[in-house]
């Protein structure tokens, strides 16, 4: 009899908890409605992660399709090439890579029915809002597309752990979050894979990478990252995640540190990657 009472009490508490969670989510949706990660307007319904029109446009113009670099996953323009210019010129320590969206703005014509300037939005602009302007809800859409397009590849990597590229503590304090860690947590939850954000740490505040060329980027990052403590024995295959991939310098240095600490395989994934030099040749 006592056991039945306890079960009934627990069930009641669970139902109350779920009701409060639903009510809280509803109120949050009213006070802070979800915004589209492409156009930043309020999405049509609470269940949408992106406007339906924006979803179609992103899939057509920004989602990376073949041909891609066989090492980092960046879009390239020729089926005859195996690697992008950066991977062809610079040896890579990581064992494979995926990137979901093209960073740069595509040459779109004004779209009927949309406000002037709609065609100037880009996924690069989206990721910058996510990174610098607290648009954390965008991560739900990014991860949805990542799993939709590359879920099979990610499972083939068989990672033991997901590790986000860390930010320097001063930048963390300024932003209040690490955008790569948000992505890692959401991806780990979906794939049921452990996430570790304390092993790889950033100990040196560096100049913004976008201001530097490839050689300067590598020099800028040489002493920026370190391993805190020792590598757990179970962390043989690592998935390293970041928001933006450009020349690959950050992923390369992080991979070196992880492999020096004992990792056997390191795979990289990013939301956006920079355009290839001959991006103007892409056929829209």
């Amino acid at each position: 009899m006592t056991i039945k009472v306890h079960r009934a009490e627990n069930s009641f508490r669970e139902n109350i908890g779920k009701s409060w969670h639903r009510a809280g989510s509803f109120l949050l949706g009213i006070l802070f409605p979800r915004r589209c990660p492409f156009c930043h307007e309020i999405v049509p319904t609470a269940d949408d992660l992106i406007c339906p029109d924006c979803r179609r446009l992103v899939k057509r113009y920004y989602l990376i399709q073949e041909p891609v670099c066989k090492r980092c996953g960046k879009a390239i323009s020729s089926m005859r090439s195996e690697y992008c210019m950066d991977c062809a010129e610079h040896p890579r320590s990581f064992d494979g890579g995926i990137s979901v969206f093209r960073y740069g703005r595509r040459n779109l014509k004004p779209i009927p029915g949309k406000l002037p300037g709609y065609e100037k939005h880009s996924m690069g602009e989206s990721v910058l809002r996510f990174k610098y302007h607290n648009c954390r809800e965008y991560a739900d859409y990014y991860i949805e597309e990542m799993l939709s397009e590359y879920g099979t590849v990610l499972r083939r990597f068989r990672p033991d752990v997901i590790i986000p590229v860390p930010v320097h503590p001063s930048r963390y304090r300024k932003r209040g979050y690490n955008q790569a860690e948000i992505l890692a947590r959401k991806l780990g939850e979906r794939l049921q894979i452990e996430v570790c954000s304390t092993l790889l740490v950033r100990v040196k505040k560096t100049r913004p990478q976008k201001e530097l060329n490839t050689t300067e980027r590598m020099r800028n990052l040489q002493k920026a990252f370190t391993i805190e403590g020792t590598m757990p024995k179970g962390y043989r295959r690592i998935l390293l995640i970041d928001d933006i991939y450009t020349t690959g310098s950050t992923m390369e240095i992080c991979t070196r540190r992880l492999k020096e600490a004992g990792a056997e395989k390191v795979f990289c994934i990013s939301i956006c990657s920079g355009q290839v030099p001959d991006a103007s040749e892409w056929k829209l």
Side-chain angles (χ1 to χ4, degrees), residues 5 9 31 38 81 88 104 131 182 192 196 219 237 266 273 279:
V5 170
E9 288 177 351
L31 297 173
F38 187 73
S81 299
K131 183 173 184 174
I182 292 174
Q192 294 296 293
C196 180
R219 190 180 300 119
R237 302 173 68 89
V266 177
S273 59

Side-chain angles (χ1 to χ4, degrees), residues 114-159:
K114 298 294 182 182
L115 294 172
Y118 176 87
E119 71 282 358
K120 295 181 180 179
H121 292 298
S122 71
M123 287 309 294
E125 177 188 76
S126 171
V127 172
L128 292 179
R129 288 197 301 266
F130 168 63
K131 183 173 184 174
Y132 296 113
H133 299 289
N134 205 28
C135 295
R136 305 186 204 188
E137 72 270 24
Y138 288 6
D140 293 320
Y141 169 68
Y142 299 154
I143 296 302
E144 179 196 71
E145 286 298 324
M146 182 185 293
L147 291 173
S148 174
E149 297 296 321
Y150 298 103
T152 301
V153 178
L154 286 169
R155 291 179 178 88
R156 196 182 303 145
F157 286 165
R158 294 183 290 110

Side-chain angles (χ1 to χ4, degrees), residues 36-249:
C36 172
F38 187 73
C39 70
H40 199 59
E41 296 297 323
I42 295 173
V43 294
T45 70
D47 294 331
D48 289 325
L49 299 180
I50 184 172
C51 299
D53 287 343
C54 292
R55 183 185 290 276
R56 287 190 289 270
L57 186 145
V58 169
K59 280 187 175 291
R60 181 176 180 184
Y61 294 108
Y62 287 95
L63 196 67
I64 291 179
Q65 306 283 356
E66 292 286 353
V68 300
C69 174
K70 299 302 183 288
R71 177 63 69 181
C72 71
K74 186 189 295 187
I76 55 179
S77 60
S78 174
M79 293 293 292
R80 292 171 293 184
S81 299
E82 283 193 279
Y83 304 110
C84 67
M85 183 180 293
D86 289 316
C87 288
E89 291 185 356
H90 305 285
R92 298 302 191 193
S93 300
F94 50 84
D95 299 278
I98 294 171
S99 193
V100 185
F101 302 109
R102 293 184 172 102
Y103 181 89
R105 184 175 292 130
R106 307 304 301 276
N107 296 319
L108 306 180
K109 296 178 180 179
I111 300 171
K114 298 294 182 182
L115 294 172
Y118 176 87
E119 71 282 358
K120 295 181 180 179
H121 292 298
S122 71
M123 287 309 294
E125 177 188 76
S126 171
V127 172
L128 292 179
R129 288 197 301 266
F130 168 63
K131 183 173 184 174
Y132 296 113
H133 299 289
N134 205 28
C135 295
R136 305 186 204 188
E137 72 270 24
Y138 288 6
D140 293 320
Y141 169 68
Y142 299 154
I143 296 302
E144 179 196 71
E145 286 298 324
M146 182 185 293
L147 291 173
S148 174
E149 297 296 321
Y150 298 103
T152 301
V153 178
L154 286 169
R155 291 179 178 88
R156 196 182 303 145
F157 286 165
R158 294 183 290 110
D160 299 308
V161 63
I162 302 173
I163 294 181
V165 171
V167 296
H168 189 269
S170 63
R171 290 203 171 108
Y172 189 96
R173 288 192 296 270
K174 183 177 180 180
R175 295 178 199 166
Y177 61 99
N178 173 9
Q179 68 282 353
E181 184 176 358
I182 292 174
L183 296 168
R185 296 289 175 195
K186 290 185 178 294
L187 183 60
E189 184 179 345
R190 293 286 298 275
L191 294 178
Q192 294 296 293
I193 295 174
E194 182 182 351
V195 174
C196 180
S197 57
T198 57
L199 178 67
L200 182 67
V201 297
R202 192 158 193 155
V203 292
K204 179 183 175 184
K205 188 175 181 180
T206 55
R207 290 174 59 192
Q209 290 288 86
K210 61 185 178 181
E211 299 175 0
L212 310 173
N213 61 36
T214 302
T215 302
E216 291 170 335
R217 286 171 186 244
M218 290 296 291
R219 190 180 300 119
N220 189 42
L221 294 170
Q222 279 298 333
K223 297 181 180 180
F225 301 95
T226 190
I227 299 297
E228 188 75 16
T230 58
M231 175 79 74
K233 290 182 179 179
Y235 290 6
R236 294 191 300 272
R237 302 173 68 89
I238 292 174
L239 180 63
L240 187 63
I241 190 167
D242 204 3
D243 54 345
I244 301 171
Y245 180 104
T246 47
T247 64
S249 302

